[in-house]
Amino acid sequence: MTDREYMQKAVSLAWKAKGFTSPNPCVGAVVVKDGNIVGKGFHRAAGLAHAEVEAIDDAGPMASGATIYVTLEPCNHFGKTPPCTRKIIKAGIKKVVVGCKDPNPDVCGGGIKFLEENGIKVVSGILAKEAFTLVEDFAWFVQNDKKPFVILKCASTLDGRTATSTGDSKWITNEKSRAFVHRIRHETDAILIGSGTLHADNPSLTSRIKGVKTKDPIRIVLDTNLTIKEDAKLLNLDSDARTIIVAGPGCSKEKRARLETKGIMVLELALREQRLDLNELMIKLGKMSILSLLIEGGSTVAGSALKAGIVNKVLFFLAPKFLGGSDGTPVFEGNGPELIKDAFLLKNMDITRFGTDLLVQGYLK
């Protein structure tokens, strides 16, 4: 097997823990000796052993003289666990192959430098794109004033409608597409909708994948006037994830007190142009150690998120159907740019097929 093939094994291991490791990054590792994988590991959750430690412990004495492939540069600092660089040196590893360097500007390159200073050969940049995708939310968070990495999910007909003139939207996309969205919910720290979606759909905003253990995201609702009904599904769930209602100044103190008595967090936010200030919200969510946020709101929230400049990544599902009229609900509400040259442009775009649906995904920043 080649370096790329061994690293792909490590990447696949890391994906197993996506959704469980926040605020830590997802990392996978394999130990190889004489052409054979003798140890495997991945970081399972914050506070537990790092991927390198799991892989080296799995390899046991076979780690001596071996090569370790790890998706992210080994840490060289003390946190909840000791530095992985010390573990690698102590185990007698002779070579370290790294997918991508640690994106944290405070520690980037430190692990590689320490290993090389201790006589260990280091090769980096193997499957760098795949390795970085694993930690893109962590990377954005640590490089951008601890603000969440924001994913905007949209779904529409071919003629750009998210619902009919009567508000009917079930279902635009197929079961395979919806299952993928539940996977994304599991992988992100929080999910956000607006009060329009809340009242129209009364959603649970949980992650449900048949036969798979999942984690529910923190549920966030933009509700300026605190209009949420107290019997709403997301206020009465059997879920470990909390619910946050984001309200504007002047909302009902009595209703707020009742919600907080039920364990619901009500976060008051300033208004900007008569709407909740989404940039200020990102700062507050970052202070709560929310690294990633999935926006599944309706057209008003989607349009506001784009205009606020908070969106990093877009997941746009297209179903092979169209309404054939102009009276349905558009994907985005509000005024767009006057010139095509000012349109939002996706970069590093990929297209995936889910049955008859197409997923177009790419990055805005």
Side-chain angles (χ1 to χ4, degrees):
M1 293 176 65
T2 65
D3 281 352
R4 292 176 62 87
E5 289 172 319
Y6 288 128
M7 186 61 74
Q8 185 58 59
K9 295 286 187 182
V11 168
S12 297
L13 285 168
W15 275 111
K16 289 185 176 183
K18 191 68 173 175
F20 294 114
T21 64
S22 186
N24 289 357
C26 289
V27 185
V30 295
V31 178
V32 176
K33 190 170 187 178
D34 299 327
N36 298 307
I37 295 177
V38 295
K40 301 177 182 179
F42 59 93
H43 182 46
R44 298 172 187 270
L48 298 184
H50 287 190
E52 300 94 317
V53 174
E54 273 210 354
I56 291 171
D57 286 347
D58 187 40
M62 294 292 287
S64 180
T67 297
I68 187 168
Y69 292 79
V70 58
T71 59
L72 186 66
E73 176 184 359
C75 63
N76 191 43
H77 57 279
F78 285 88
K80 292 183 179 180
T81 58
C84 290
T85 51
R86 272 70 166 183
K87 179 77 173 183
I88 290 170
I89 294 168
K90 186 176 180 180
I93 296 285
K94 296 299 182 184
K95 181 180 177 182
V96 177
V97 181
V98 175
C100 67
K101 291 183 178 180
D102 194 319
N104 189 335
D106 294 332
V107 299
C108 180
I112 292 175
K113 181 180 179 182
F114 184 81
L115 291 170
E116 290 177 333
E117 288 174 345
N118 281 271
I120 295 177
K121 182 179 180 181
V122 180
V123 176
S124 63
I126 305 299
L127 291 189
K129 178 183 176 181
E130 291 84 346
F132 183 81
T133 299
L134 274 166
V135 299
E136 61 186 10
D137 49 357
F138 173 79
W140 176 263
F141 186 81
V142 298
Q143 293 176 3
N144 291 274
D145 301 321
K146 296 188 176 179
K147 294 178 183 177
F149 180 85
V150 178
I151 302 170
L152 175 62
K153 172 257 174 181
C154 308
S156 80
T157 59
L158 290 178
D159 49 354
R161 298 300 184 219
T162 62
T164 66
S165 60
T166 65
D168 181 46
S169 62
K170 292 184 171 55
W171 291 104
I172 289 176
T173 54
N174 61 33
E175 290 186 7
K176 290 182 179 180
S177 295
R178 299 198 298 275
F180 180 78
V181 172
H182 277 270
R183 167 63 66 178
I184 300 299
R185 287 183 180 184
H186 158 74
E187 293 176 355
T188 50
D189 290 343
I191 180 172
L192 181 146
I193 63 169
S195 57
T197 298
L198 171 72
H199 296 309
D201 298 342
N202 192 22
S204 298
L205 303 183
T206 54
S207 175
R208 305 178 297 278
I209 306 174
K210 188 175 181 180
V212 177
K213 179 185 177 183
T214 58
K215 167 199 66 62
D216 290 337
I218 295 170
R219 295 168 290 275
I220 304 173
V221 180
L222 302 179
D223 189 9
T224 305
N225 299 311
L226 209 58
T227 60
I228 188 170
K229 296 178 180 178
E230 292 176 54
D231 62 351
K233 284 183 182 179
L234 55 78
L235 297 183
N236 300 278
L237 292 172
D238 180 16
S239 172
D240 292 333
R242 56 182 167 160
T243 298
I244 301 173
I245 310 298
V246 184
C251 64
S252 169
K253 291 183 172 59
E254 293 78 11
K255 189 170 186 179
R256 175 174 182 168
R258 291 197 303 273
L259 291 172
E260 290 176 338
T261 299
K262 296 179 65 172
I264 308 301
M265 179 180 181
V266 179
L267 179 63
E268 188 173 308
L269 204 64
L271 300 182
R272 175 177 290 184
E273 297 181 358
Q274 304 306 310
R275 296 193 183 279
L276 294 167
D277 188 339
L278 296 184
N279 280 287
E280 181 64 25
L281 178 59
M282 295 306 104
I283 294 172
K284 290 183 179 294
L285 296 183
K287 290 180 179 178
M288 298 178 196
S289 295
I290 293 176
L291 272 64
S292 55
L293 174 69
L294 173 64
I295 296 180
E296 278 198 51
S299 55
T300 300
V301 171
S304 296
L306 283 178
K307 291 177 179 62
I310 65 170
V311 178
N312 297 85
K313 188 175 185 178
V314 176
L315 304 179
F316 203 128
F317 290 88
L318 284 170
K321 56 188 76 169
F322 49 91
L323 300 182
S326 60
D327 56 347
T329 303
V331 180
F332 304 106
E333 288 281 5
N335 296 323
E338 295 182 356
L339 301 174
I340 290 295
K341 70 179 182 65
D342 297 323
F344 296 95
L345 178 65
L346 289 184
K347 300 177 181 178
N348 300 324
M349 190 181 70
D350 287 314
I351 298 177
T352 308
R353 189 165 177 169
F354 291 95
T356 55
D357 293 347
L358 292 179
L359 168 61
V360 179
Q361 58 181 316
Y363 299 84
L364 290 178
K365 58 181 179 180

